Amino acid sequence: MKFQTVYVPIGVGTYEMVTAHEQFDNSVKLLKEIDKDIIVPEDILLTVDAIADFVGDKNPDLVILQNITFANAAYAYEVLRRFSCPILLWTLREPVIDGTRLRSNSLTGAYSAANAICAFRGQGKFEHVFGAPSEESVRKEIEATVRAAVVKKQLTNLRMAAIGHTPQGFGFGRALDAELLSKFGVTLDSIEARELINKAKSYTDEECEGDLAEAKEKVVGLDKMPENNIKDFARLYKAYKSYVKENKIGAISSRCWPDFFTEFGTPVCMVLSLLNAVNVPASCESDVYGALSMYIGTAFMDESTFFGDPVSMDEKESSITFWHCGMAACNLARCDTGATVGVHPNRKIGPVMDFGCKASDEATIFRVGRTPDGKFRFFIAEGNVMDKPKQFNGASIVVQTNESAEKIVKETIKDGWEPHYVVIYKHIATELEKLANMLDVTVVRY
């Protein structure tokens, strides 16, 4: 179903209505610029009955509850008793301070509404913005809230697939389908890696010609690989693509070593790279929460994200290098090298991706993690992707962090964070924090 935002402007008619209607008109104008499909009433809702009539047939994914003027808690109750979706409480700045009448008293109304929301949902379980429709900070806050609510809804439509089991010692990426569904609304399918290996083996060279041609257009140096590895890669790529399409899979976590080296003879790394490049987030080492982190990043920016281990830290330049064996999205490669192909750094079998990632003025490091007692938490840090060549065999990205890299590394180790992270090519810390609040997930932000 289509995402739906509902604007609920409340007030009472004993306040100054000329100013109130100006605020209403300006608010509607801003909201329609942010979300052209937002549902708005024809006028300010001045009674509880008016609210009931307006929202009675709505099924919102986000409610923007705005005090045009003061209104008592009964107005908020009428929204709260009907909907469980996220709420953005918008408080207007008092329009005129001239020693005469209080025009709107929106701020007191916000206290009343917030008290009601916390009584229904718990402390802080809503978003809040203060200011006039003309203020840029208000626009940014509302935009971020809408984007977070959109991603929250997308998660409820997400079907993930865990392809194979996590290797021994990598249990941090293992997920229970019931927990994913209850916390994020995500459905998790499971399939053995051998099923896709067997499916790949059943294809003929002719059946995979199109898949191979697609890959050759996106990477550099595939022809230098042994012919049998090139053909096996194409078979495996076709098997994964077919499985994703037939089962409407939006993100995958895939087992990689040792099976694809020992049982198939060709790594799955480049298959995951190409899937990532077409915005089908794909993590390796069967890290389900890594794949979920990639999906969330991709959902916010509609572009590929980087998935990898923190492998190096430079205190002087405040940078952290993230690396993995060779499954980075090929469209993240530096322009001067392109998405070059190599062999796996440990197994010496290809094809895998072997490049440094392109630079960016904006970057967010992110992880859906879990505390030692099993509670979900979001790791968030912002910075920029530095203009650096490949750091090690495989794919690497160097992020200069706004917060001290040394502090981030030391504290995340002490706090028991997982060894896989996602790098998103955009500053979306605010949006991620809002999503976490909507999902009742703890945030650790640097």
Side-chain angles (χ1 to χ4, degrees):
M1 295 179 64
K2 191 174 183 180
F3 178 83
Q4 184 180 97
T5 305
V6 173
Y7 170 51
V8 182
I10 60 176
V12 293
T14 54
Y15 281 87
E16 205 278 293
M17 284 293 103
V18 173
T19 301
H21 280 100
E22 288 176 357
Q23 298 277 49
F24 171 72
D25 291 340
N26 291 335
S27 297
V28 169
K29 182 177 182 293
L30 173 62
L31 291 173
K32 284 189 173 293
E33 289 172 356
I34 294 171
D35 179 2
K36 62 182 178 61
D37 297 318
I38 189 170
I39 298 172
V40 303
E42 294 181 359
D43 204 347
I44 305 167
L45 305 173
L46 297 176
T47 66
V48 173
D49 287 342
I51 296 172
D53 290 341
F54 172 62
V55 302
D57 61 346
K58 308 298 189 294
N59 185 29
D61 301 293
L62 173 68
V63 168
I64 298 178
L65 178 65
Q66 181 193 56
N67 280 99
I68 293 284
T69 74
F70 171 81
N72 64 51
Y75 288 68
Y77 290 152
E78 191 62 29
V79 172
L80 290 163
R81 74 183 187 86
R82 294 171 181 271
F83 307 127
S84 60
C85 66
I87 292 177
L88 169 61
L89 180 62
W90 184 359
T91 305
L92 291 169
R93 190 180 301 279
E94 191 62 31
V96 179
I97 301 176
D98 61 0
T100 62
R101 184 182 182 186
L102 185 64
R103 305 299 204 277
S104 68
N105 199 18
S106 178
L107 185 56
T108 304
Y111 275 90
S112 179
N115 180 264
I117 296 170
C118 290
F120 267 72
R121 299 188 176 185
Q123 187 174 355
K125 303 306 179 187
F126 63 98
E127 304 303 315
H128 179 248
V129 60
F130 175 87
S134 60
E135 297 175 33
E136 185 60 26
S137 60
V138 171
R139 175 187 288 272
K140 289 181 177 179
E141 191 75 14
I142 295 173
E143 286 176 338
T145 303
V146 171
R147 285 197 292 267
V150 169
V151 172
K152 180 179 183 295
K153 182 178 178 67
Q154 289 177 342
L155 287 170
T156 64
N157 296 317
L158 173 62
R159 181 178 293 275
M160 296 184 67
I163 301 173
H165 301 291
T166 54
Q168 182 179 6
F170 285 72
F172 61 84
R174 193 174 301 136
L176 295 178
D177 49 7
E179 289 182 336
L180 277 176
L181 188 61
S182 63
K183 175 56 72 172
F184 301 99
V186 174
T187 301
L188 180 65
D189 292 351
S190 297
I191 183 174
E192 295 294 339
R194 66 172 178 271
E195 293 187 44
L196 290 183
I197 289 175
N198 290 336
K199 188 173 185 178
K201 289 178 178 179
S202 71
Y203 294 130
T204 65
D205 293 344
E206 291 73 23
E207 288 176 307
C208 300
E209 285 178 354
D211 305 283
L212 186 55
E214 176 193 340
K216 287 181 177 180
E217 290 180 356
K218 297 180 177 180
V219 304
V220 178
L222 181 59
D223 291 337
K224 296 178 182 179
M225 293 291 109
E227 185 177 359
N228 65 300
N229 292 116
I230 296 173
K231 291 180 177 179
D232 282 348
F233 151 75
R235 292 186 177 95
L236 196 58
Y237 183 40
K238 186 176 187 68
Y240 268 67
K241 281 203 306 181
S242 299
Y243 174 75
V244 166
K245 183 178 180 180
E246 291 166 5
N247 294 279
K248 296 180 173 59
I249 302 299
I252 65 172
S253 64
S254 178
R255 188 172 173 93
C256 45
W257 59 268
D259 308 58
F260 287 92
F261 298 99
T262 59
E263 302 299 320
F264 189 65
T266 297
V268 73
C269 306
M270 190 168 146
V271 171
L272 305 183
S273 169
L274 267 64
L275 289 173
N276 280 318
V278 294
N279 290 353
V280 179
S283 69
C284 58
E285 294 176 330
S286 300
D287 184 356
V288 174
Y289 296 118
L292 179 61
S293 305
M294 296 174 81
Y295 177 86
I296 290 171
T298 296
F300 272 114
M301 61 180 291
D302 196 30
E303 291 183 19
S304 307
T305 63
F306 183 92
F307 171 86
D309 306 337
V311 295
S312 179
M313 186 258 290
D314 186 321
E315 298 94 328
K316 291 182 179 179
E317 66 181 17
S318 187
S319 70
I320 304 171
T321 299
F322 296 89
W323 162 95
H324 229 279
C325 313
M327 45 68 70
C330 56
N331 58 339
L332 297 183
R334 293 174 56 90
C335 295
D336 57 348
T337 63
T340 50
V341 174
V343 297
H344 191 275
N346 297 331
R347 305 280 177 157
K348 307 303 179 185
I349 303 173
V352 305
M353 304 319 301
D354 189 37
F355 58 74
C357 289
K358 61 186 179 182
S360 172
D361 292 336
E362 296 187 13
T364 303
I365 307 168
F366 175 57
R367 169 80 196 185
V368 177
R370 307 195 75 172
T371 61
D373 61 357
K375 294 180 180 178
F376 287 100
R377 56 182 177 174
F378 280 9
F379 170 88
I380 307 171
E382 288 187 335
N384 62 278
V385 179
M386 301 182 75
D387 187 6
K388 297 270 191 177
K390 183 184 75 170
Q391 303 292 288
F392 309 97
N393 289 338
S396 61
I397 188 170
V398 183
V399 181
Q400 187 174 49
T401 54
N402 294 344
E403 179 62 83
S404 161
E406 183 178 14
K407 177 182 179 181
I408 291 172
V409 168
K410 287 184 176 180
E411 291 188 5
T412 48
I413 289 174
K414 289 283 287 185
D415 291 342
W417 282 89
E418 297 85 348
H420 287 163
Y421 293 83
V422 171
V423 179
I424 304 160
Y425 273 71
K426 192 174 180 66
H427 285 159
I428 58 166
T430 299
E431 288 87 341
L432 289 170
E433 281 194 336
K434 291 182 179 301
L435 177 63
N437 194 40
M438 293 174 186
L439 294 168
D440 193 22
V441 171
T442 300
V443 170
V444 179
R445 180 172 175 178
Y446 288 91

